[in-house]
Amino acid sequence: MKRITLFQIVLTVFFAAGGTAAAQNNLPPDVQAMAKKVMMPLVLKVPGMDKVKVIQNLKYTKSDDPNVLMDIYIPPGLAEGVKRPAVIFLHGGAKTDYTPKDWGIYTTWGRLIAASGFVGVTFTHRLEYPNTSLEKAAADVRDAISYVRSNADKYHVDKDRICLSAYSAGGPLLTLALRGDMPFIRCLVGFYSFMDIQQSDYAKTENPEAVKAFSPITYLETDTSKIPPMFLARAGHDEVPTMLDSIDRFVAKALSANVALTLMNHPQGVHGFDNQNDDDRSREIIRGAIEFIRAHLGNENPK
């Protein structure tokens, strides 16, 4: 099976890790193997991850999709009234039936960020790469941000110190914070994430205006002073078509526009290296992302 074909299957089928065991067993062996990957934990662990308080399956939007739910990860031992900055995770493109918020990669990111002193927020949204879905997913992201800020007191959140962290096809959703109307979003993180979808398969399903509006690179053509500091993690062996090109062009243009950008590259990293490449460089990049977040949201070291 060719890599590009497998990747397309991965986007639409292998996320069945969230489905029934019977359904998974009916998949081809190579697809079953890929399905297991999303359930693998991060390659970095820190003390306190097992003590994090997790509030699950919150209904954060009016969507009638029963899978569009949110989990919140709260640092252990917080006294009443104590607030911490929040990191909101934006998963890549997958049907909501597969409940991405429940994948091992995101449950461990939630625990890792909470054990590092922040409130972690994972949620399932309606992004289906490359199917027409950008506007629906963006509405879910806006609702998620609104829910977190509206319930800040309940969940120990400092509503004016928020980071968005996007993965893979979730990169286009970072554009919501590039338009100058969310000053409470202090920084952005992208792990192997699309920074320009004008050459991606979205160009075949979405209208040209949406494709341009949801391409982060578009906002380098306007007032870049509105762009929050950014951290990008690049996988040197990323197999997703046009992914590396989109990141590389964004980085070159962002630097020429003097954007506050931090780039960390994993030369041997594959797409999803944070739970696939169990090596020192992966751990270094994950730590680097956390320290970047700490620098821009506040020094919230766990006690």
Side-chain angles (χ1 to χ4, degrees):
M1 184 177 290
K2 296 180 180 179
R3 175 177 289 177
I4 185 171
T5 303
L6 178 58
F7 174 67
Q8 292 169 338
I9 292 175
V10 166
L11 287 174
T12 58
V13 179
F14 92 96
F15 296 124
T20 65
Q24 292 179 55
N25 291 335
N26 289 330
L27 295 174
D30 53 353
V31 179
Q32 288 186 46
M34 291 297 290
K36 293 178 181 178
K37 290 186 176 182
V38 295
M39 298 308 294
M40 293 173 62
L42 291 180
V43 300
L44 175 67
K45 294 180 174 61
V46 300
M49 288 176 66
D50 58 333
K51 298 178 181 178
V52 167
K53 180 180 179 181
V54 186
I55 303 171
Q56 295 179 299
N57 297 325
L58 298 167
K59 186 170 178 56
Y60 69 90
T61 178
K62 294 180 180 179
S63 169
D64 57 5
D65 187 325
N67 299 307
V68 178
L69 300 172
M70 174 185 290
D71 294 345
I72 296 181
Y73 295 77
I74 299 174
L78 290 187
E80 185 176 353
V82 173
K83 295 184 179 181
R84 293 290 174 86
V87 180
I88 300 177
F89 295 92
L90 311 178
H91 66 74
K95 293 181 179 180
T96 60
D97 306 35
Y98 308 142
T99 60
K101 75 173 181 64
D102 299 322
W103 298 345
I105 185 171
Y106 295 116
T107 60
T108 48
W109 260 115
R111 287 187 176 275
L112 175 65
I113 208 69
S116 300
F118 308 93
V119 175
V121 179
T122 64
F123 65 105
T124 296
H125 54 74
R126 295 172 291 171
L127 184 69
E128 294 184 27
Y129 181 83
N131 298 330
T132 304
S133 58
L134 288 168
E135 291 290 355
K136 290 190 298 184
D140 291 342
V141 173
R142 292 188 188 96
D143 285 346
I145 294 170
S146 178
Y147 181 89
V148 170
R149 299 189 77 232
S150 298
N151 293 277
D153 292 344
K154 183 187 301 185
Y155 299 122
H156 294 273
V157 172
D158 181 339
K159 66 180 182 179
D160 292 320
R161 289 191 291 165
I162 293 175
C163 171
L164 298 184
S165 186
Y167 299 76
S168 190
L173 300 175
L174 293 176
T175 57
L176 300 179
L178 299 179
R179 305 176 186 189
D181 56 356
M182 292 186 179
F184 46 84
I185 295 179
R186 303 292 185 88
C187 60
L188 302 173
V189 172
F191 269 70
Y192 40 86
S193 58
F194 274 123
M195 303 309 290
D196 184 1
I197 55 172
Q198 294 172 95
Q199 294 177 323
S200 76
D201 283 345
Y202 270 133
K204 303 174 184 177
T205 59
E206 299 273 2
N207 65 63
E209 293 77 15
V211 170
K212 183 175 182 179
F214 282 98
S215 291
I217 200 169
T218 297
Y219 299 87
L220 299 178
E221 301 170 359
T222 57
D223 182 3
T224 57
S225 66
K226 297 178 181 179
I227 297 177
M230 302 185 71
F231 176 101
L232 295 180
R234 180 184 185 275
H237 287 278
D238 201 315
E239 64 272 32
V240 179
T242 77
M243 179 66 75
L244 287 177
D245 176 66
S246 81
I247 294 172
D248 294 348
R249 285 186 292 103
F250 180 90
V251 168
K253 195 165 186 176
L255 293 178
S256 67
N258 214 24
V259 170
L261 173 67
T262 299
L263 173 69
M264 293 189 74
N265 182 50
H266 192 318
Q268 288 77 45
V270 299
H271 193 77
F273 68 82
D274 46 341
N275 81 334
Q276 298 301 306
N277 289 88
D278 190 0
D279 57 28
D280 290 341
R281 183 56 177 169
S282 291
R283 286 182 280 276
E284 182 181 11
I285 292 174
I286 296 169
R287 290 191 189 99
I290 294 172
E291 291 312 308
F292 169 86
I293 292 168
R294 195 183 309 285
H296 294 287
L297 294 189
N299 188 27
E300 304 293 345
N301 280 300
K303 296 181 180 178

